[in-house]
Amino acid sequence: MEYYHLALFFTALPVGILTLYGILKRANGWYYSIKFCSKKYNIPPGDMGWPLIGNTVAYFKSCISGDSNSFLSSFFHRFGPGGMYRGYIFGKPTIIVTKPEITKKILLDEEYLDRGMPDYMKKLIGLTTSIQEDKHSRRLTAPVKSHGLLSDYFDYIDRNVRTTLEKYAATEEPVKFLSTMNKLTFEVFMRILLGGEVNRELFDEMFEEITCLISGVHNLPINLPGFPYHRALKARRKLAEIFRQILEERRKHMIAKDCKEMPKSNIVDMLLSDINQDDYEDKRLSDDKIIEVLVLFGFAGFEPVALMATKAIMNLEKHPHFLEKAKEEQEDIVKKRSSSNVGLNFDETKQMTYLSNVINETLRLASDQTIFLRNTNASYHINGYTIPKGWKFFAIAWTVHMNPDIYVQPKEFNPSRWD
């Protein structure tokens, strides 16, 4: 009898575990299906994953493996090619979008859709401003992207890139190229951000903190000692202290020099300026808002540039015929110069048509982790579905850039497709 009970227990145990697993796996979907089962809503098919975590871990797992497309493919194969699927990502019920035309619609709709950045990211890089405030800060910093100011920075960029590459070309030691590009682009970014020569001590401190911040954004939001997110929150507070001190010092300098009306040539001075906007009541941003913008610039201002430059070089290395074509274009530009002693100038960059193709193709292939998030601020009708208020839209640029209906043989690196 004892053996019978023991056998019964070991038989029932796996059955119980599998049953519990199946219930928990579907509980999240059942909850939201029951909650939004009225005729008022029509929600796409899908899988909302586990309670609380939903599909978030599955998404991060696909990112870490370098195959974000596998996350979307699982929905496509299980629920058909409809292009919209329900899920649960970043702590919110979510509509996963895979078709270009639907993605375009949600990105262009500013009336009924808000930013969808997860709360854990907001704690790191901000974006708590309203759309109106965001547009105002963008207008203030728009001149930094003008051809005039870009040409002013050009000599500085050219000198730093040339010096760095010549330094590493002269050594026989292996070079961690991405790390080198990160520091190089960060130095340029600091010049655009602060203006003037970069203080080396400040440079090293800010580089370390912003690197920690970026690492935290790309990892699971576990706020415990030893985890990247926990360290990133500390880095965010440290960066806020540094930027607040910079703002105080710069404001004192502007008052002392009475340079309020002088042209601004860096981002900090532009954000501190008192340019009035007719459609914005308060002409000045608060220090907290300025710091938020500066942290956002820090997050997006240099690492993507370094990563794309590195990937462009890797792609050209793998495809010698494209590399040769890019070199021919550069040699033709050099031949047109009045003197062999003349260096690269800003106007010559406009002649680099094929190099622009290389950059565009690199950006296209490197978009596997570029995501778009939007929140519904009311019930939202799209593609025959009615999405409840408070749900999130989630789209990955990869679904557009790897679409064979848009790009022939999309997985191939081919700069000439941009001709």
Side-chain angles (χ1 to χ4, degrees):
M1 183 65 70
E2 291 180 2
Y3 288 111
Y4 171 76
H5 288 147
L6 194 62
L8 187 63
F9 171 77
F10 282 111
T11 302
L13 181 62
V15 174
I17 292 174
L18 289 174
T19 302
L20 180 62
Y21 175 88
I23 292 173
L24 288 175
K25 187 75 170 63
R26 293 168 176 79
N28 212 30
W30 289 340
Y31 171 77
Y32 284 99
S33 294
I34 294 170
K35 185 176 181 179
F36 298 101
C37 64
S38 69
K39 294 181 179 179
K40 180 181 177 182
Y41 302 106
N42 178 25
I43 304 170
D47 176 9
M48 303 189 79
W50 298 86
L52 300 178
I53 62 175
N55 316 105
T56 307
V57 174
Y59 167 67
F60 272 104
K61 185 178 178 181
S62 69
C63 290
I64 293 170
S65 68
D67 185 16
S68 300
N69 197 41
S70 63
F71 175 73
L72 300 177
S73 296
S74 65
F75 286 89
F76 178 88
H77 292 306
R78 291 168 62 192
F79 304 107
M84 292 178 65
Y85 313 96
R86 69 170 178 261
Y88 193 90
I89 306 174
F90 302 134
K92 291 280 187 178
T94 301
I95 301 300
I96 299 165
V97 177
T98 61
K99 288 192 173 180
E101 61 272 16
I102 306 175
T103 301
K104 181 178 179 181
K105 183 174 181 180
I106 64 173
L107 290 179
L108 293 178
D109 193 337
E110 291 187 354
E111 183 176 358
Y112 297 105
L113 298 176
D114 295 324
R115 293 191 189 96
M117 181 175 287
D119 290 339
Y120 85 91
M121 285 190 184
K122 288 180 182 178
K123 291 179 181 179
L124 292 180
I125 59 177
L127 277 186
T128 59
T129 56
S130 66
I131 291 178
Q132 189 80 346
E133 289 173 322
D134 180 55
K135 288 181 177 179
H136 178 60
S137 62
R138 286 176 184 271
R139 280 195 294 267
L140 286 176
T141 58
V144 81
K145 294 178 284 187
S146 67
H147 278 193
L149 277 180
L150 285 176
S151 62
D152 290 343
Y153 290 121
F154 185 80
D155 289 341
Y156 176 81
I157 296 171
D158 181 45
R159 184 172 65 253
N160 276 271
V161 171
R162 187 186 299 274
T163 302
T164 300
L165 295 182
E166 287 176 350
K167 171 187 173 183
Y168 288 108
T171 180
E172 296 182 359
E173 296 296 322
V175 176
K176 293 182 178 179
F177 194 73
L178 179 57
S179 176
T180 299
M181 290 301 297
N182 270 326
K183 288 192 174 181
L184 176 59
T185 53
F186 184 70
E187 191 155 351
V188 173
F189 161 73
M190 288 283 282
R191 179 66 173 260
I192 297 172
L193 184 77
L194 305 178
E197 291 299 321
V198 179
N199 178 287
R200 183 52 52 181
E201 185 177 338
L202 180 64
F203 171 90
D204 292 336
E205 183 178 12
M206 292 188 70
F207 182 77
E208 180 182 351
E209 301 301 337
I210 289 180
T211 300
C212 289
L213 183 77
I214 293 170
S215 176
V217 170
H218 294 317
N219 280 276
L220 287 170
I222 302 174
N223 188 14
L224 292 173
F227 286 89
Y229 183 73
H230 181 78
R231 175 65 182 88
L233 288 172
K234 289 185 176 180
R236 174 64 172 83
R237 291 191 289 270
K238 182 62 178 178
L239 284 170
E241 293 174 10
I242 294 172
F243 282 133
R244 197 174 299 279
Q245 184 177 352
I246 290 172
L247 292 179
E248 290 174 358
E249 293 175 355
R250 190 61 57 87
R251 189 178 283 113
K252 291 177 182 178
H253 174 77
M254 293 174 71
I255 294 172
K257 299 293 184 180
D258 193 24
C259 53
K260 186 167 58 174
E261 301 301 326
M262 290 176 62
K264 309 299 185 297
S265 60
N266 60 79
I267 291 173
V268 168
D269 287 350
M270 289 174 185
L271 292 172
L272 283 172
S273 67
D274 58 357
I275 300 172
N276 197 9
Q277 303 291 338
D278 294 337
D279 58 345
Y280 194 69
E281 185 178 356
D282 184 358
K283 63 185 178 181
R284 291 191 179 185
L285 295 172
S286 68
D287 280 3
D288 287 339
K289 295 299 180 187
I290 292 176
I291 289 170
E292 188 175 289
V293 173
L294 293 176
V295 171
L296 177 61
F297 277 137
F299 170 72
F302 78 98
E303 196 229 15
V305 178
L307 185 59
M308 290 307 105
T310 302
K311 288 193 173 187
I313 291 171
M314 289 174 61
N315 287 329
L316 290 175
E317 180 75 16
K318 291 177 183 178
H319 301 86
H321 52 296
F322 292 136
L323 174 59
E324 191 61 32
K325 194 170 181 179
K327 286 173 66 178
E328 287 175 2
E329 181 180 69
Q330 300 301 307
E331 290 167 357
D332 287 340
I333 292 173
V334 172
K335 289 177 183 177
K336 295 176 184 177
R337 292 174 180 167
S338 58
S339 170
S340 58
N341 295 325
V342 177
L344 183 68
N345 64 70
F346 183 72
D347 289 333
E348 286 177 338
T349 62
K350 301 173 188 177
Q351 303 172 32
M352 299 177 184
T353 307
Y354 190 76
L355 189 59
S356 295
N357 291 351
V358 171
I359 294 170
N360 283 335
E361 185 70 345
T362 301
L363 288 169
R364 184 185 71 83
L365 288 172
S367 63
D368 58 320
Q369 293 186 23
T370 302
I371 64 174
F372 306 110
L373 299 168
R374 294 292 185 271
N375 284 336
T376 55
N377 53 28
S379 294
Y380 193 75
H381 305 280
I382 183 172
N383 204 39
Y385 295 106
T386 302
I387 311 304
K389 177 182 178 181
W391 284 46
K392 188 187 298 293
F393 282 105
F394 173 99
I396 301 181
W398 187 255
T399 60
V400 178
H401 295 160
M402 288 294 109
N403 189 327
D405 295 330
I406 301 175
Y407 300 100
V408 178
Q409 296 179 321
K411 293 185 179 181
E412 289 189 6
F413 176 77
N414 180 15
S416 297
R417 74 170 78 244
W418 295 92
D419 292 338

